Amino acid sequence: MMMMMMMMSFVMRHVPTVPVKNLNGSSPVHPALAGITGILMSAAALPVCLTRPPKLVLHPPPVSKSDIKPVPGFGHCCRKTTKKQVRKGKTPEEVVKKYLQKVKSPPEEDCTICMEPLGGPSGYKGPGVGPVSRAESVGRLAQCGHQYHFQCLVAMYNNGNKDGSLQCPTCKTIYGVKTGNQPAGKMEYHVIPHSLPGHPDCKTIRIIYNIPPGIQGLEHPNPGKPFTARGFPRHCYLPDSDKGRKVLRLLLVAWDRRLIFSVGTSSTTGESDTVIWNEVHHKTEFGSNLTGHGFPDPGHLDNVLEELRAQGITEDDGLMEK
């Protein structure tokens, strides 16, 4: 018996260890590769000893109410939205004309909305767009210079939120103030006394989004039909640094403009008519980064600023957010 235990001890000391990805990402072997390697070594009658996989850490350690503090420089800690604000007073044609310059001689190229030549009539044949004169049939967007059939731009506007803004379908330049179809809900934010991986010198801003299920409005894909809201409240994290607070200010602008969430089809579950993220990435893992939604991630804050800029939200908007 003693001899057998000594042999087992000798074998375990010489068993090759196949590491899996750990919390700080220093392992050179991806978990899937480690698994495949283990299978192949087992098939070759070689002993294998896999290291224990890291643990997913979604939430911080428990925090007492007395340890929760306001975010420095913010005079509030909660933001609510109610029903969608509908802007009235201008027809779709008036909104589109506001951002267009006249084109006397259309170029010999296709309208990228209907894919018909700009020199000819619009290919759009649907409802909601009236006839226009030849002089107004093509327009150039004032800032970016891209040209389209006027009727195509009006049809595109009618298929959106009809909020008084227009977005160039080619370069995504936004004219006016873009808003989304995020349902009513609540956004809370405060500082907790823990540090995120990669940010040891500061505390953490915790954002809590809460959106209840409800009935879709006219701005949603299926008006009058119920929508679900899975996984709420959702907890997200930012470092309590100068740049982290800058991102929070712009996220508040995005929240007010209903651009953080949308109603649509989930890319992870395939469920339709549900609340989904809307192209502004958040970190939902507090102490790990196993799914790519945690820290450390040195480029995260800059990436979020760029995503917000793509939604028409810039640092100038943050300066007005108090």
Side-chain angles (χ1 to χ4, degrees):
M1 184 68 176
M2 181 65 67
M3 182 63 70
M4 183 178 294
M5 292 179 64
M6 291 175 63
M7 291 179 64
M8 290 178 62
S9 176
F10 174 81
V11 169
M12 290 304 296
R13 286 199 303 268
H14 292 80
V15 168
T17 298
V18 181
V20 296
K21 190 175 183 180
N22 55 31
L23 283 177
N24 59 22
S26 62
S27 172
V29 181
H30 190 277
L33 179 58
I36 295 172
T37 303
I39 294 172
L40 294 175
M41 293 178 69
S42 297
L46 295 173
V48 178
C49 180
L50 293 176
T51 57
R52 180 175 295 179
K55 183 181 179 181
L56 182 69
V57 182
L58 290 177
H59 302 293
V63 179
S64 65
K65 287 186 178 180
S66 61
D67 287 333
I68 296 175
K69 305 297 182 183
V71 181
F74 288 71
H76 39 70
C77 60
C78 179
R79 191 69 61 89
K80 293 182 180 180
T81 57
T82 53
K83 64 181 181 178
K84 181 178 174 64
Q85 297 177 354
V86 180
R87 299 183 183 182
K88 300 179 180 180
K90 289 189 176 181
T91 66
E93 289 79 5
E94 289 173 330
V95 171
V96 172
K97 285 181 180 180
K98 177 181 177 181
Y99 305 120
L100 286 183
Q101 298 172 339
K102 291 184 178 180
V103 176
K104 294 182 179 180
S105 301
E108 294 183 2
E109 58 187 53
D110 291 342
C111 170
T112 56
I113 298 177
C114 70
M115 303 310 296
E116 295 292 337
L118 287 171
S122 166
Y124 178 76
K125 306 298 181 184
V129 181
V132 295
S133 66
R134 183 170 181 80
E136 294 182 319
S137 63
V138 175
R140 177 190 295 108
L141 288 172
Q143 186 175 338
C144 64
H146 290 112
Q147 301 181 38
Y148 304 95
H149 288 119
F150 175 75
Q151 290 176 307
C152 291
L153 286 173
V154 173
M156 185 182 74
Y157 180 83
N158 279 329
N159 287 328
N161 288 332
K162 295 184 280 291
D163 58 359
S165 73
L166 193 68
Q167 186 165 17
C168 175
T170 300
C171 67
K172 307 306 178 184
T173 297
I174 296 173
Y175 296 81
V177 177
K178 179 182 178 181
T179 62
N181 64 4
Q182 175 182 292
K186 184 166 122 177
M187 175 184 179
E188 299 177 74
Y189 37 95
H190 49 247
V191 173
I192 57 175
H194 300 292
S195 297
L196 292 163
H199 297 274
D201 299 329
C202 63
K203 297 178 182 180
T204 297
I205 297 171
R206 178 168 60 185
I207 303 171
I208 304 175
Y209 294 112
N210 204 353
I211 295 179
I215 303 298
Q216 297 182 55
L218 295 176
E219 72 276 17
H220 294 132
N222 296 296
K225 185 177 178 180
F227 67 84
T228 59
R230 311 292 185 191
F232 288 94
R234 297 187 186 183
H235 291 217
C236 307
Y237 304 96
L238 292 168
D240 184 28
S241 60
D242 288 342
K243 184 174 283 189
R245 291 191 285 271
K246 178 193 294 185
V247 169
L248 176 61
R249 288 192 184 280
L250 298 187
L251 287 176
L252 286 169
V253 176
W255 174 263
D256 288 343
R257 295 182 187 178
R258 305 177 188 276
L259 294 168
I260 300 290
F261 295 97
S262 181
V263 173
T265 299
S266 170
S267 60
T268 54
T269 66
E271 181 181 10
S272 59
D273 299 307
T274 191
V275 180
I276 58 176
W277 292 106
N278 186 41
E279 299 181 7
V280 178
H281 287 84
H282 287 63
K283 294 296 189 180
T284 54
E285 289 182 63
F286 176 80
S288 60
N289 195 17
L290 301 185
T291 65
H293 301 303
F295 294 90
D297 184 348
H300 172 64
L301 298 179
D302 288 328
N303 291 339
V304 175
L305 291 173
E306 187 60 35
E307 290 167 348
L308 289 166
R309 194 174 296 113
Q311 298 286 350
I313 300 171
T314 66
E315 293 186 21
D316 291 338
D317 297 301
L319 293 175
M320 295 186 291
E321 171 56 43
K322 299 296 182 183

